Amino acid sequence: MMVKTGGARRERRSRGQLLAMALIGAGLLVLGVVALVILPKLDISTGVDSSISAVPAQVNYSAPSLALNDLRGEPVSLEDYRGTVVLVNNWATWCPPCKEEMPTLQAYFEDHRDQGFTIIAIEAGEPLAEIQAFVEDYGLTFPVWPDPGLKATAAFRNPGLPSSYVIDRQGNVRLAWAGAINRQMLEKHVTPFLEE
């Protein structure tokens, strides 16, 4: 009787191992198919798929009080921009999705700045010289604020990069998203705030 019980256990264990191996194999097959679909769309220089975009979530709360210094060392504050629609973008020079979305943000800014719109790009902790080189390399013309103490990610309660927030003319955060965004999503979700 002991022999039969031990044999039944071994048989159940063998079936369990076979099932586990089959599930692992199926998972690897699915990952392979996903890779075949996604990899052709990747920008080889950044490893980011530009067709993929964050989708903003609608929120409604008062913008945090945030004061930093700009690239010239001058004091600046979110409150200085009351009456303007502001897209706050928390980013870093080393972050691939941040790099990927910067040309999109710059183009959107250029097309909409005459509508009372600005972008404030708040860089998370890198040295000033690196930030200035990045601004020059990418031709950024919107305000860029260094944030050596990571005050912005704390104020918005999101340490992920990139993360963005749209503040309406009354000083309320109305949209929030984490991850890179494409032009189509900016036009669909942000542009209506410029028309209010």
Side-chain angles (χ1 to χ4, degrees):
M1 187 148 299
M2 293 291 264
V3 174
K4 288 185 178 181
T5 304
R9 273 192 218 138
R10 277 194 296 272
E11 187 176 316
R12 278 192 300 252
R13 194 175 337 139
S14 294
R15 277 192 248 157
Q17 288 172 338
L18 284 174
L19 180 60
M21 289 173 56
L23 289 173
I24 290 170
L28 290 173
L29 182 62
V30 168
L31 286 174
V33 170
V34 168
L36 286 175
V37 171
I38 290 176
L39 286 177
K41 296 179 185 176
L42 288 179
D43 178 339
I44 295 182
S45 65
T46 63
V48 176
D49 180 352
S50 61
S51 68
I52 294 175
S53 177
V55 177
Q58 291 186 2
V59 296
N60 193 357
Y61 58 91
S62 295
S65 180
L66 181 64
L68 295 167
N69 292 321
D70 64 15
L71 289 173
R72 296 178 311 239
E74 298 294 323
V76 287
S77 167
L78 285 181
E79 292 172 7
D80 298 339
Y81 290 86
R82 186 65 60 94
T84 302
V85 175
V86 178
L87 189 160
V88 173
N89 178 252
N90 292 325
W91 66 286
T93 60
W94 50 263
C95 163
C98 302
K99 293 176 183 180
E100 178 71 22
E101 76 175 348
M102 278 302 171
T104 300
L105 293 176
Q106 178 62 38
Y108 186 83
F109 170 71
E110 288 174 7
D111 290 345
H112 294 285
R113 66 178 160 195
D114 293 337
Q115 293 175 271
F117 171 75
T118 195
I119 294 173
I120 299 174
I122 303 176
E123 204 287 335
E126 295 305 303
L128 187 59
E130 284 184 36
I131 300 168
Q132 289 173 325
F134 187 100
V135 168
E136 289 174 19
D137 289 348
Y138 281 77
L140 303 181
T141 57
F142 46 76
V144 176
W145 299 354
D147 186 10
L150 304 178
K151 291 180 182 179
T153 56
F156 284 98
R157 298 181 185 156
N158 184 356
L161 299 175
S163 59
S164 298
Y165 309 87
V166 172
I167 302 171
D168 67 16
R169 297 180 200 283
Q170 291 73 43
N172 297 308
V173 179
R174 302 289 300 279
L175 296 174
W177 65 90
I181 194 165
N182 65 26
R183 181 63 182 253
Q184 180 183 3
M185 288 295 153
L186 287 169
E187 292 293 353
K188 179 178 179 180
H189 296 280
V190 178
T191 302
F193 290 99
L194 304 179
E195 298 164 355
E196 289 182 352

